[in-house]
């Protein structure tokens, strides 16, 4: 998770999030290049002493400033479309984790283990030393790492959003509808998230905590 002294984005724990970071850097290079070029032109125009009031058209210049931005947009769109299709990929193997949003807690089901439980935020008075305020829960989600996990979300009342930033996962939980997204965790650890859809008075008090363990330990759980 992010820390107080962190300047960059949090470390990616899944291939999808790593691809998102690469696209972020890709777009940032383009934006910085455009900003630098426009700034240079602005400075030159400010100090330019030449006048071209008699020039009525410049077809070559207009062609250049039409074609070049179009090529830059294509350069930006191609990796964006690739990432979009990667996010929609589904896997037939792995495990299924169903998450149901309530006002204001999450319910989880793992059909392969015939397991179902609720996950509430841990009150501040019950926190142990080192726990994160407003982020700890009484029942963590436990899944195996280095294995495909299909997360299915829905809601029992209003709109919610199941979000884990380190995994690159953000899914709306809609009443009467199932949304799914594949998640592949690369390394063990504890990952934190929160509901990202304003769902009522206690919207900020329904955190998500996912613990990635080995497959052997997960089966024993």
């Amino acid at each position: 998770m992010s820390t107080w002294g962190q300047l960059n984005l949090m470390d990616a724990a899944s291939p999808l999030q790593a691809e998102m970071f690469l696209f972020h850097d890709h777009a940032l290079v383009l934006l910085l290049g455009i900003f630098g070029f426009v700034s240079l032109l602005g400075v030159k125009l400010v100090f330019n002493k030449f006048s071209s009031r008699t020039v009525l058209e410049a077809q070559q210049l207009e062609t250049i400033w039409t074609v070049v931005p179009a090529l830059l947009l294509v350069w930006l769109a191609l990796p964006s479309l690739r990432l979009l299709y990667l996010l929609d990929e589904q896997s037939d193997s792995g495990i299924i984790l169903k998450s149901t949003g309530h006002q204001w807690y999450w319910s989880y089901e793992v059909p392969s283990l015939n397991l179902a439980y609720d996950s509430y935020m841990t009150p501040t008075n019950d926190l142990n030393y080192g726990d994160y305020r407003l982020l700890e829960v009484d029942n963590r989600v436990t899944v195996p790492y280095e294995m495909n996990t299909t997360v299915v979300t829905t809601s029992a009342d209003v709109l919610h959003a199941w979000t884990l930033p380190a995994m690159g996962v953000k899914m709306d939980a809609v009443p009467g509808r199932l949304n799914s997204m594949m998640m592949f965790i690369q390394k063990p650890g504890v990952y934190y998230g929160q509901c990202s859809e304003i769902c009522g008075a206690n919207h900020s008090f329904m955190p998500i905590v996912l613990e990635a363990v080995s497959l052997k330990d997960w089966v024993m759980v």
Side-chain angles (χ1 to χ4, degrees):
M1 64 177 293
S2 298
T3 58
W4 66 271
Q6 185 170 333
L7 298 178
N8 207 345
L9 300 171
M10 69 173 63
D11 294 336
S14 70
L16 282 179
Q17 185 68 340
E19 290 288 340
M20 291 182 187
F21 288 168
L22 287 175
F23 178 70
H24 167 270
D25 297 339
H26 179 83
L28 196 60
V29 169
L30 176 62
L31 293 176
L32 289 176
I34 294 174
F35 178 78
F37 179 69
V38 173
S39 300
L40 180 63
L41 288 182
V43 172
K44 281 187 169 293
L45 287 174
V46 169
F47 295 99
N48 184 17
K49 297 181 180 180
F50 294 100
S51 175
S52 58
R53 290 178 295 175
T54 59
V55 177
L56 300 179
E57 62 178 14
Q59 294 183 356
Q60 184 178 5
L61 179 61
E62 291 179 359
T63 301
I64 292 174
W65 73 35
T66 301
V67 173
V68 171
L71 294 177
L72 292 177
L73 288 177
V74 172
W75 186 54
L76 185 65
L78 292 179
S80 176
L81 290 173
R82 174 180 175 272
L83 179 58
L84 186 64
Y85 280 100
L86 285 175
L87 291 173
D88 286 337
E89 281 190 353
Q90 300 291 333
S91 175
D92 296 331
S93 60
I95 66 170
I96 296 176
L97 172 67
K98 182 181 178 182
S99 173
T100 304
H102 301 266
Q103 288 182 314
W104 287 271
Y105 63 97
W106 294 97
S107 295
Y108 297 101
E109 298 178 36
V110 184
S112 58
L113 296 182
N114 195 24
L115 184 65
Y117 54 92
D118 296 331
S119 180
Y120 289 86
M121 185 191 76
T122 303
T124 304
N125 295 334
D126 296 335
L127 291 175
N128 297 319
Y129 181 77
D131 289 345
Y132 296 103
R133 177 177 173 271
L134 303 182
L135 286 178
E136 294 294 343
V137 296
D138 54 359
N139 290 315
R140 292 178 174 178
V141 184
T142 306
V143 296
Y145 65 92
E146 292 187 342
M147 186 174 181
N148 290 328
T149 301
T150 300
V151 183
V152 180
T153 61
T154 187
S155 173
D157 36 54
V158 298
L159 289 177
H160 300 277
W162 200 83
T163 306
L164 273 180
M167 304 297 163
V169 175
K170 183 179 185 296
M171 282 186 294
D172 288 335
V174 183
R177 178 176 176 177
L178 295 176
N179 291 328
S180 64
M181 192 171 180
M182 193 182 71
M183 184 171 62
F184 184 87
I185 306 174
Q186 294 178 303
K187 52 189 176 183
V190 180
Y191 304 97
Y192 295 87
Q194 289 176 303
C195 176
S196 297
E197 186 73 38
I198 298 177
C199 55
N202 291 332
H203 155 70
S204 58
F205 303 114
M206 48 184 303
I208 301 162
V209 183
L210 183 143
E211 185 172 357
V213 299
S214 65
L215 180 60
K216 180 180 177 181
D217 293 335
W218 180 75
V219 173
M220 294 177 61
V221 172

